[in-house]
Amino acid sequence: MQKFGIGQSVKRKEDNELLLGEGTFQDDLNLPGQAHAFFLRSPHAHADIESIDNARASAMPGVVAIYSGADVTADGLGTLPCVMDAFIPLTRPGGIPRYYPPNPLLPEARVRHVGEAVAMVIAETPAQARDAAEAIDVTYRDLPCVVETDRAEAPDAPTIWPEAPGNLSFFWEHGDKSATDEAFDKAERVVSVDLINSRVIVNPIETRGALGSYDEAGGRYTLHTNTQHPFETRAIVAEILHCEESELRILSPIIGGGFGMKHMVHIEQPMVAWAARKIGRPVRWMSERGEGFLSDTQARDHVTHAELALDGEANFTGLRVRTTANLGAYVSNLGPVSPSLLYTRMLACAYRTPAIHAEVRGVLTNTVFTDAYRGAGIPESAYVVERLVDKAGRETGLGAVEIRRRNVILAAQMPYVSPMEITYDSGDFEKNLEDCISFADWFGFPQRRALAHDRGKLRGIGMALYVESTVGDTNESITIQFNDNDSVTLTGGTKSSGQGHGTVFSQFLHETLGVPFEKIIYEEGDTDTLPQGGGSGGSRSTYMIGVAVKMGADKIIEKGKRLAAHLLETSEADIRFSDGNFTVAGTDRSIDVMALAVAARDAAKLPEGMEPGLDESAQSEVEDPTIPNGCHIVEVEVDPDTGALELETYTAVNDFGRVINPQLLEGQIQGGLAQGFGQAIFENCIYDPESGQLLSGSFMDYCLPRADDMPEFFLTNNEHLTEQNSFGLKGCGEAGCIPSVPAVVNAVLDALAVRGVETIDMPLTPERIWRAAQAS
């Protein structure tokens, strides 16, 4: 096995850049002559803009320009689009077309959520821009608002958009309704739950930013912005600016976390590019943390009633789900896809439930718009199913393990087509379950519970199975370039936000072409370097780039065999390639790929008709998703007197197919688990129902998990290779946050069962746990 090849825990190349400050992040970028932007944001959740007076602000020191909605309209700029129709056309009841409201760069007449930008101030310094923004006099007429998901369609709720009566944007239906209704009619038992999947604020370490410039002579924009998807950002921003994509270059630097939020285009990106052209100077904007709370896309926010039908043997026969999903005041780029298709198609989870039907109502409220966040709909579906399954285990008396054993999809049933039309091509869900039970010592838990009781604590254990379907652009591009300085540049169309793309993709190139690992330079984030790129999201990057690298390497090997045969004076049929060496079969005569690349640049050494150089490009196309899966078990302890919750141990058995870099895989899982714990226990996005104000608008009021909140982890893998790509690997980036939320909530409910607690909503704060325990 090669030291730096597939399957090795190669140390991440990017650590010095990411952790020691040696890399260039968005806030490190500056251009000569730049001005600075600041956005004045609405203090109201819903209000008419009666007037905007810039006179005093315009006269303040350093002010270069001030723009409002009227200026944007005068220049004919577009609005932020929702591109959902390219994925799936949604409707409302009766076949009425869905309603996606226009999302203006700056509104002219009305604001619809706290934090909506109403003016852009450009000045010589950030402080001057902020001071001038505070001097703008905006007169508002306050309007009633609605922020609560379950209140959006209430008869007395204010209408946010006249085109959306009842604040309904779309109605989505998925599955076989008649078969599901029949299953419930015949059921021996029906288990039901009412759940709130709480709203979260993404909060990556690095905030968003944008630096725009315009070359008047060349007629071309350049936008430096920390986006996960440079190519889609280019397409959307070009549409808004009414320019050709070739007239816009996107450059994305190192990203300090994105989690889906930085995949989306926000208003500040096209605004700085447009403003740069207007004033003839680069314009720079960097979000403050408080701005991020008010303007970054948020996520989750479902209210659900779900029912599970069982026969007399406790076999699942039907699943019925009714969900209301909060889209916010506008509809983000991909806002409706997570709560509709991505959510409902995974409701089978790991169980052979023959009939499933789901309905989702996407509603508009006076809140920041929601969009994809790590897992994008699948954590929400797993939460519904695993809460139901655990309750079924309690009500039947079978318990959490036996109810799952009776209903889990078996390896012999693979490939398995779920009722929601997703094919599970490979995996052994039963083995994941049994291994996790063994590693977690599930049946030794009563003794640990008794010891906790002696210390005055309530100990609980919970589990969750999960199945994910990775998604994203089905095409990906790479180039492989041999440089004069004996290095090789690999360029890819995805965009890392800290995962270690440069390391993993270099392992692919080392494995397939034998290029020395230390000679490989990975580049990404520049739309001028490739014709197309799929960006980072949906746990797609590793297998999409891996396949493309292999395709490019195969092209180089074929060309290299011809050149090697010419240089070694033999027949091409006699050349063998292995571990970076082209060798004449049966001899010790060979030339390595790096030396061959040097020779390939010398026209005098080439066979007749061969183009100079070994450089190649490739584009992968992988239509079918991969299906990561696993079982997670967590033990918790609760102090009934204070409600304090401790995560004690966490055991996870996952199937990611072939593992490329075990160390980086473990980091991805732990990071996802931390985010799941955050939603389950700590994070609480709260809008005041009367004023629409975001009450959790800073880290004083919005809690994130810290290192000392993490439990002891035991993580292992069952490798079942997929045939969906040539390496047999499955995406891993989102898996940790999918089962961790229901596992933790199930464990807490298990701990509180002795107090008669049957249900509890996230986040599991000490107050909420204490109140539940005391009330019961």
Side-chain angles (χ1 to χ4, degrees):
M1 185 178 290
Q2 299 185 62
K3 180 179 179 182
F4 297 104
I6 290 175
Q8 298 298 296
S9 288
V10 178
K11 183 179 178 182
R12 195 166 59 174
K13 285 184 172 185
E14 301 90 339
D15 281 350
N16 286 357
E17 293 181 340
L18 293 173
L19 304 178
L20 300 182
E22 295 179 5
T24 300
F25 291 84
Q26 184 70 36
D27 200 31
D28 297 317
L29 298 175
N30 293 280
L31 292 175
Q34 69 189 13
H36 298 267
F38 184 87
F39 288 87
L40 177 66
R41 300 185 183 275
S42 169
H44 300 278
H46 200 195
D48 285 332
I49 302 172
E50 297 191 332
S51 65
I52 299 179
D53 185 354
N54 296 336
R56 187 162 66 95
S58 297
M60 294 183 68
V63 174
V64 176
I66 298 177
Y67 299 114
S68 63
D71 301 299
V72 171
T73 300
D75 274 18
L77 299 185
T79 58
L80 286 183
C82 176
V83 298
M84 261 296 297
D85 288 339
F87 295 89
I88 182 168
L90 297 175
T91 61
R92 286 177 282 182
I96 300 170
R98 87 290 180 276
Y99 180 67
Y100 299 158
N103 190 346
L105 303 185
L106 296 175
E108 279 194 85
R110 181 172 291 184
V111 293
R112 291 177 171 84
H113 68 85
V114 171
E116 183 170 3
V118 296
M120 178 188 195
V121 180
I122 301 172
E124 298 295 343
T125 70
Q128 289 173 333
R130 171 189 276 277
D131 289 346
E134 293 176 354
I136 297 175
D137 184 13
V138 184
T139 302
Y140 296 96
R141 184 173 66 87
D142 212 6
L143 298 171
C145 67
V146 59
V147 297
E148 297 164 295
T149 306
D150 59 355
R151 285 272 305 143
E153 294 187 271
D156 60 343
T159 299
I160 302 173
W161 295 93
E163 300 87 346
N167 296 317
L168 183 65
S169 170
F170 72 81
F171 172 76
W172 167 253
E173 197 170 7
H174 194 180
D176 189 330
K177 187 177 189 304
S178 61
T180 304
D181 289 344
E182 182 180 356
F184 276 87
D185 290 341
K186 296 179 178 179
E188 289 291 325
R189 180 188 297 271
V190 173
V191 178
S192 65
V193 292
D194 290 288
L195 305 174
I196 295 175
N197 199 299
S198 50
R199 179 179 282 234
V200 295
I201 299 172
V202 178
N203 277 316
I205 292 175
E206 178 204 34
T207 59
R208 291 186 296 114
L211 173 58
S213 63
Y214 183 74
D215 177 12
E216 190 71 44
R220 198 165 191 239
Y221 296 94
T222 298
L223 177 61
H224 301 259
T225 184
N226 48 356
T227 172
Q228 293 172 231
H229 200 331
F231 292 87
E232 186 167 282
T233 297
R234 179 180 66 178
I236 291 175
V237 173
E239 178 184 336
I240 293 169
L241 297 177
H242 302 304
C243 70
E244 298 295 326
E245 289 187 33
S246 60
E247 297 172 337
L248 171 62
R249 181 185 189 185
I250 302 294
L251 290 162
S252 182
I254 294 172
I255 298 178
F259 311 118
M261 182 271 288
K262 288 181 184 171
H263 182 115
M264 312 310 159
V265 174
H266 296 69
I267 65 107
E268 297 85 1
Q269 292 158 309
M271 283 296 292
V272 297
W274 170 73
R277 183 173 185 177
K278 295 279 285 185
I279 69 170
R281 297 170 57 181
V283 176
R284 183 182 190 273
W285 170 79
M286 196 74 204
S287 175
E288 298 177 354
R289 181 62 65 180
E291 280 186 286
F293 275 91
L294 295 171
S295 63
D296 296 346
T297 57
Q298 297 173 1
R300 312 295 194 228
D301 205 341
H302 290 190
V303 174
T304 296
H305 175 75
E307 300 171 303
L308 181 65
L310 299 90
D311 65 16
E313 300 299 318
N315 298 305
F316 302 163
T317 59
L319 173 64
R320 191 156 52 197
V321 177
R322 305 290 180 264
T323 293
T324 301
N326 193 337
L327 303 176
Y330 301 98
V331 178
S332 184
N333 301 160
L334 298 170
V337 73
S338 293
S340 59
L341 178 64
L342 301 186
Y343 168 61
T344 59
R345 72 177 187 166
M346 298 311 296
L347 285 169
C349 195
Y351 307 105
R352 49 183 191 273
T353 310
I356 302 175
H357 183 256
E359 295 178 358
V360 179
R361 304 177 72 84
V363 297
L364 301 165
T365 65
N366 295 111
T367 61
V368 176
F369 33 89
T370 57
D371 212 314
Y373 171 66
R374 200 168 191 169
I378 305 174
E380 295 93 315
S381 65
Y383 186 63
V384 170
V385 174
E386 289 302 309
R387 286 288 305 273
L388 267 174
V389 171
D390 240 46
K391 189 172 183 182
R394 290 193 298 273
E395 292 193 1
T396 59
L398 294 173
V401 170
E402 185 57 33
I403 194 72
R404 288 175 170 86
R405 282 174 170 166
R406 292 195 183 194
N407 290 282
V408 70
I409 298 166
L410 304 176
Q413 295 175 288
M414 297 294 177
Y416 177 85
V417 181
S418 85
M420 306 310 264
E421 302 166 345
I422 287 288
T423 299
Y424 300 170
D425 70 293
S426 63
D428 191 337
F429 304 165
E430 185 180 31
K431 179 171 173 54
N432 294 340
L433 172 63
E434 297 300 335
D435 284 355
C436 203
I437 289 168
S438 174
F439 294 141
D441 186 23
W442 180 280
F443 296 109
F445 174 73
Q447 182 180 5
R448 298 190 293 278
R449 170 174 271 168
L451 292 173
H453 179 268
D454 292 343
R455 293 183 281 105
K457 301 292 181 68
L458 305 178
R459 195 168 180 110
I461 190 168
M463 71 161 55
L465 302 185
Y466 79 95
V467 182
E468 182 187 6
S469 174
T470 59
V471 296
D473 196 319
T474 56
N475 295 278
E476 192 54 80
S477 299
I478 62 98
T479 61
I480 302 170
Q481 178 181 328
F482 291 84
N483 305 315
D484 291 339
N485 64 356
D486 201 33
S487 66
V488 178
T489 299
L490 171 64
T491 304
T494 63
K495 185 68 188 77
S496 175
S497 51
Q499 301 98 316
H501 283 184
T503 301
V504 172
F505 301 161
S506 295
Q507 288 180 256
F508 280 123
L509 189 56
H510 176 70
E511 178 87 15
T512 57
L513 197 57
V515 174
F517 184 81
E518 67 278 5
K519 299 286 187 180
I520 302 170
I521 302 167
Y522 180 67
E523 293 184 352
E524 59 182 0
D526 183 350
T527 56
D528 274 6
T529 60
L530 293 168
Q532 174 270 344
S536 179
S539 296
R540 66 179 289 279
S541 294
T542 299
Y543 64 85
M544 293 299 299
I545 289 284
V547 170
V549 167
K550 185 178 187 306
M551 293 170 64
D554 287 345
K555 290 183 181 180
I556 292 170
I557 291 168
E558 286 307 304
K559 186 174 183 180
K561 284 181 177 179
R562 183 182 174 196
L563 178 55
H566 177 71
L567 295 176
L568 297 173
E569 300 178 336
T570 188
S571 166
E572 185 176 341
D574 291 333
I575 297 295
R576 303 290 182 267
F577 177 81
S578 178
D579 295 334
N581 293 298
F582 295 86
T583 304
V584 179
T587 76
D588 60 359
R589 297 168 59 217
S590 68
I591 183 171
D592 68 58
V593 67
M594 300 301 287
L596 196 68
V598 173
R601 291 194 288 269
D602 186 347
K605 295 182 178 180
L606 300 180
E608 185 176 351
M610 178 176 281
E611 293 292 324
L614 287 185
D615 300 350
E616 276 293 350
S617 62
Q619 181 170 312
S620 62
E621 184 173 347
V622 181
E623 295 285 346
D624 296 317
T626 67
I627 307 294
N629 56 87
C631 177
H632 291 208
I633 294 174
V634 61
E635 287 191 34
V636 302
E637 280 194 2
V638 169
D639 185 333
D641 296 327
T642 66
L645 170 65
E646 293 287 340
L647 299 173
E648 296 296 326
T649 62
Y650 198 97
T651 305
V653 177
N654 298 291
D655 171 13
F656 299 119
R658 176 168 287 123
V659 175
I660 307 302
N661 186 314
Q663 186 178 61
L664 296 194
L665 171 65
E666 184 168 338
Q668 283 291 296
I669 301 308
Q670 290 188 7
L673 293 176
Q675 285 184 282
F677 300 156
Q679 182 179 12
I681 304 170
F682 302 96
E683 302 180 47
N684 200 8
C685 179
I686 303 174
Y687 285 90
D688 179 70
E690 298 298 323
S691 67
Q693 295 295 319
L694 179 64
L695 302 182
S696 53
S698 76
F699 286 136
M700 292 293 290
D701 301 295
Y702 189 89
C703 183
L704 293 179
R706 301 186 180 190
D708 62 354
D709 295 312
M710 296 299 103
E712 178 184 356
F713 293 111
F714 177 83
L715 309 177
T716 190
N717 301 298
N718 283 329
E719 291 192 7
H720 292 275
L721 306 192
T722 178
E723 295 185 359
Q724 309 293 44
N725 58 74
S726 52
F727 289 100
L729 64 94
K730 305 172 184 179
C732 71
E734 298 162 304
C737 68
I738 296 173
S740 51
V741 175
V744 169
V745 177
N746 285 341
V748 170
L749 286 174
D750 182 60
L752 295 176
V754 68
R755 296 292 182 99
V757 178
E758 295 184 356
T759 189
I760 193 167
D761 285 320
M762 302 181 288
L764 304 176
T765 61
E767 179 187 6
R768 185 165 288 178
I769 292 173
W770 180 84
R771 288 187 181 279
Q774 301 306 312
S776 297

